[in-house]
Amino acid sequence: MTDPTVFDWRSFLLKWSGEWADSLPGGETRGEGDEAARRARWLGFPAASEERIAAMEERLGRHMPPSYREFLKVSDGWRHAGGFVRLLAGAEDAHWHNNESGLADIFEEYLDEDAGPEERREADLWRRGLQLDVESDITHVLLDPEDVDEDGEWAVYTWSSWRAEAPARHADFTAFMRDMHREFHSLQARRSDGGPVFANDTTRKLDAQVEEARLEALRGGWEEAVKALDEAKGYSRARAAGLGDQIRRLLGQTYMVYFDGLVTDPRYAPDLLPPLVAEHARHSYRDDSTLTFHLPGADDDLVALAFATLDQVRDGTYRYTAAGPYGEAVERARESARWGDTDGAWRALMNALPLWQPLGPDHLAPLGWVADPLLGPLLTPERGRELLSTPRGGQSGETPRPTADLDPGDLAWLAEPYRGNNRASYRFVLLEGTEPEELPGRLTDGDTGEDGTVLNEPMTFWEALQRSRHSRREFSSYDDRALMVVGRAGTGWSFAFDGEPAPFTPQRFLSPAATAGTGTRAVVVWSGLRAPHGKPFFHLSVAQDGAEQYAFTYADGEIRRSGDIPQALDPSRFFDDLEDSARAERPLLEAVAEQFGASLPRHAIVNGRLHTFTTRSWTRPPRQGETYMVVRLEPTATRPADDRYT
């Protein structure tokens, strides 16, 4: 709220009037009142005397709010308040609305039996409000005598039927008039009628503010920069929206982020188009033709680039590139990310950020990487703030403190509630001294193709699961080939992880530890201690040079063990209370991590994209006399004549 005794109404209204007069096209026919206002450079009227204001208050039965009273003392009414109120009431024309428009009844029709007090109060505004609009483009302006602050100021509500929105609230009359001045500027800035260039002290001040905000953002002062840019954006100043959107996108905001005025500039399109296109692709319900709505004025080449980028984003082949040392760091970061080291990938990007080269003066930060399938998942709001706080683009400033790593560096996170981690069952294989690329050769039978020894392109686990199910043609009740993501599991270890395993069947389970551990050490863990259906279970097996060293399985309330199990992993330490076996999960995972010095990358598994492959079956073949079922799906090219499908 603006203190009415401090706000300089006369200077404000004179400035507004002069800007309005200078904006009028020459030779345009105007009404007598507007022409007189243009010549006088004054949109107002003579001031209302204290007696006139007192008479109004006596007529209305209420003392007027301070800011409206102070306004009337300078001008008894106002022309062209914003773009849609041609005449605003002075002391004589202000009157109680008393549902004159019938809008109270209309608003109440939309209230259901669960409507709260606030909704009913909003509908009743049309009965109690003081109407200030005299002539308007179906726009209502009401002072609300029941929405009063500690200084006696009444909130102002505006509503236009053609906007299809709830009434807009302005804290007081001063805030309303400042918003209308902003609306006037915004409409003038977008004008295309060939009138005079809209330039004045206000626009020049705002444009200087935008330029200073640009430099401040590059120095790392993004918080102050975004405030200044948002103010200028409210006046539709050029560059403000496009600059501010770059900051917002790195904070994780995507709604109404279009990089206006910059995304269609050939200098910036290579870096700004990808995040715009990626957000479009994320909403599969959107018609692709709507993509061009956010590319006003784009030429054919840029539109073609946008749709080519859209195809790359959708099929996962888009790759962000950058020039110079920062571009080299991008490649190192991508290599780290594809094997699960998202923290290392982020450090690589941040360490090289001061060397990043903007594509032009209005390029505030690298952005194309957020659309990269491997690099995009690195972004979090905290990391976005770290990036924005880092000086770059040739500017100097204070380097921010690095954000905390996202990965805890252990296995225990699998037992903890975590956004995106609602797994009650999971299994993984750890291999020592082995690169992730080698895992398919150790965990498959050497087949080729979709389920063979070649890793699939990085994708989320759910994307890989859907693709695998779509391409699979045979299902067996005995077959348990696991779809697993792979990566590095700390120093000296690689992993394969399955977050959606089949049901555990102890009688048929066959640990892959021995076959995977040829020439090295292999650890297999399968946990279902929190499984909502079925009995809890846990399995651990360790093999060295192709031979199982020890193993234990907790299932059906019993522990079965083999080999010389180290004391630190002795199952009796964890399952002393067989009635609450779920309590054993975290200590077990901590013990495994401590024993082998391995960890699983939480952020990459839950939010990132990793290579995948399908293992050999984790169950033994059926024995003599055991029955099983195989379902094969045979695609058919044509529809059968009897209207049935196979």
Side-chain angles (χ1 to χ4, degrees):
M1 188 200 72
T2 304
D3 186 342
T5 62
V6 173
F7 187 70
D8 188 346
W9 276 106
R10 179 164 296 280
S11 296
F12 171 68
L13 297 177
L14 282 170
K15 176 180 68 174
W16 186 349
S17 297
E19 293 169 349
W20 173 82
D22 292 338
S23 72
L24 298 174
E28 184 180 84
T29 302
R30 284 176 283 274
E32 183 178 339
D34 282 357
E35 181 58 28
R38 183 192 67 81
R39 288 196 298 267
R41 299 178 68 81
W42 178 241
L43 282 168
F45 297 89
S49 64
E50 183 61 41
E51 293 76 15
R52 184 174 173 84
I53 296 173
M56 175 186 71
E57 292 175 331
E58 183 176 356
R59 172 173 61 86
L60 297 173
R62 294 292 295 266
H63 190 71
M64 289 296 99
S67 58
Y68 185 49
R69 286 185 112 261
E70 293 300 316
F71 162 76
L72 293 174
K73 291 178 182 179
V74 176
S75 178
D76 193 6
W78 192 252
R79 300 180 182 90
H80 300 295
F84 309 104
V85 178
R86 292 185 293 276
L87 183 60
L88 199 66
E92 183 177 337
D93 293 323
H95 63 280
W96 298 115
H97 188 67
N98 287 329
N99 200 25
E100 177 184 306
S101 60
L103 287 169
D105 304 311
I106 295 174
F107 272 65
E108 286 170 348
E109 285 179 8
Y110 289 96
L111 296 178
D112 55 33
E113 58 185 16
D114 297 324
E118 189 63 30
E119 294 171 290
R120 298 188 182 281
R121 184 170 160 274
E122 181 181 284
D124 197 51
L125 170 67
W126 306 102
R127 293 192 174 90
R128 67 176 183 271
L130 183 67
Q131 181 175 332
L132 298 186
D133 57 285
V134 179
E135 297 177 11
S136 71
D137 185 7
I138 321 178
T139 297
H140 300 273
V141 181
L142 299 180
L143 275 165
D144 187 353
E146 291 189 9
D147 189 348
V148 184
D149 67 15
E150 64 277 10
D151 296 313
E153 291 288 0
W154 302 6
V156 179
Y157 287 85
T158 57
W159 186 77
S160 304
S161 59
W162 41 269
R163 279 182 170 151
E165 298 174 349
R169 182 183 185 275
H170 313 264
D172 53 38
F173 185 76
T174 304
F176 161 73
M177 289 294 278
R178 296 183 74 167
D179 287 342
M180 293 304 99
H181 178 241
R182 188 177 297 112
E183 182 178 84
F184 158 70
H185 265 262
S186 182
L187 293 170
Q188 290 297 321
R190 299 172 184 174
R191 193 178 65 190
S192 58
D193 59 4
V197 175
F198 187 64
N200 46 61
D201 288 346
T202 300
T203 61
R204 285 185 284 272
K205 177 183 176 183
L206 289 168
D207 291 344
Q209 181 174 303
V210 167
E211 178 58 20
E212 176 54 31
R214 180 187 74 84
L215 295 172
E216 181 63 18
L218 291 172
R219 290 191 289 263
W222 65 271
E223 291 174 292
E224 290 303 315
V226 80
K227 291 177 184 177
L229 291 171
D230 282 348
E231 181 184 7
K233 180 183 176 182
Y235 288 82
S236 293
R237 297 315 302 157
R239 306 166 63 210
L243 292 170
D245 281 355
Q246 294 177 65
I247 297 174
R248 273 182 280 275
R249 184 61 187 87
L250 287 170
L251 294 174
Q253 301 172 24
T254 57
Y255 178 66
M256 300 290 285
V257 171
Y258 304 128
F259 312 109
D260 289 346
L262 296 179
V263 72
T264 54
D265 187 322
R267 293 175 296 175
Y268 307 114
D271 202 48
L272 300 185
L273 262 181
L276 180 70
V277 164
E279 179 61 16
H280 174 89
R282 197 170 68 87
H283 301 281
S284 58
Y285 60 85
R286 290 180 176 171
D287 188 316
D288 285 351
S289 64
T290 63
L291 179 59
T292 58
F293 293 172
H294 309 306
L295 303 173
D299 60 24
D300 292 343
D301 289 343
L302 194 138
V303 171
L305 176 61
F307 281 100
T309 305
L310 179 61
D311 290 339
Q312 292 174 337
V313 167
R314 281 181 170 154
D315 62 24
T317 60
Y318 171 72
R319 296 292 180 269
Y320 170 68
T321 60
Y326 185 73
E328 296 171 5
V330 166
E331 296 307 314
R332 293 194 299 273
R334 182 180 289 110
E335 184 67 14
S336 295
R338 79 185 185 105
W339 299 123
D341 184 10
T342 55
D343 290 328
W346 180 251
R347 286 293 118 226
L349 291 179
M350 289 306 302
N351 289 339
L353 183 60
L355 304 175
W356 166 74
Q357 301 172 14
L359 298 178
D362 286 346
H363 196 194
L364 294 185
L367 278 150
W369 63 273
V370 304
D372 187 295
L374 287 173
L375 301 178
L378 302 181
L379 181 64
T380 65
E382 294 78 17
R383 284 177 165 177
R385 288 192 286 271
E386 180 189 0
L387 188 155
L388 289 167
S389 299
T390 301
R392 58 200 178 276
Q395 299 297 313
S396 60
E398 184 178 350
T399 301
R401 177 180 298 179
T403 54
D405 287 347
L406 296 179
D407 285 330
D410 58 25
L411 300 173
W413 65 267
L414 289 164
E416 299 172 353
Y418 180 74
R419 179 176 54 85
N421 175 36
N422 56 358
R423 298 180 179 89
S425 179
Y426 51 85
R427 55 187 169 185
F428 57 86
V429 180
L430 302 173
L431 284 168
E432 188 176 26
T434 304
E435 289 300 312
E437 299 100 315
E438 301 176 46
L439 267 62
R442 292 177 174 273
L443 291 167
T444 70
D445 292 321
D447 300 336
T448 59
E450 180 72 21
D451 295 335
T453 60
V454 178
L455 291 172
N456 298 319
E457 285 299 309
M459 61 187 77
T460 67
F461 180 77
W462 299 112
E463 289 171 343
L465 192 63
Q466 289 178 336
R467 182 175 297 187
S468 175
R469 288 171 175 172
H470 181 73
S471 62
R472 194 172 178 183
R473 292 289 179 264
E474 182 174 301
F475 302 84
S476 167
S477 61
Y478 256 93
D479 187 45
D480 179 20
R481 292 179 294 165
L483 176 67
M484 308 193 85
V485 297
V486 303
R488 293 196 172 92
T491 304
W493 291 87
S494 291
F495 74 87
F497 180 87
D498 175 13
E500 193 78 8
F504 181 68
T505 53
Q507 302 82 3
R508 300 198 299 260
F509 170 63
L510 186 64
S511 171
T515 54
T518 301
T520 186
R521 186 164 52 160
V523 180
V524 171
V525 170
W526 192 342
S527 176
L529 293 174
R530 291 177 286 115
H533 306 293
K535 295 181 179 180
F537 64 89
F538 189 92
H539 170 83
L540 169 70
S541 52
V542 178
Q544 179 82 45
D545 295 327
E548 185 173 279
Q549 302 296 297
Y550 56 87
F552 74 81
T553 300
Y554 167 77
D556 299 323
E558 299 179 352
I559 299 173
R560 293 184 290 275
R561 65 176 74 201
S562 63
D564 187 11
I565 301 175
Q567 182 179 1
L569 297 175
D570 189 331
S572 61
R573 295 181 57 219
F574 306 99
F575 295 105
D576 55 343
D577 181 4
L578 299 182
E579 297 299 320
D580 189 11
S581 58
R583 288 168 41 191
E585 183 180 14
R586 182 184 178 89
L588 270 167
L589 293 170
E590 290 174 338
V592 171
E594 178 69 21
Q595 183 73 19
F596 302 106
S599 61
L600 289 176
R602 179 176 65 185
H603 188 69
I605 290 174
V606 175
N607 299 304
R609 288 177 169 83
L610 295 168
H611 291 285
T612 62
F613 74 101
T614 302
T615 70
R616 66 173 65 90
S617 180
W618 287 51
T619 54
R620 60 170 175 76
R623 293 170 178 164
Q624 186 69 31
E626 292 181 333
T627 60
Y628 63 97
M629 179 177 64
V630 176
V631 176
R632 293 188 179 90
L633 304 178
E634 299 292 341
T636 179
T638 59
R639 187 170 182 169
D642 61 1
D643 211 30
R644 290 176 298 175
Y645 291 90
T646 58

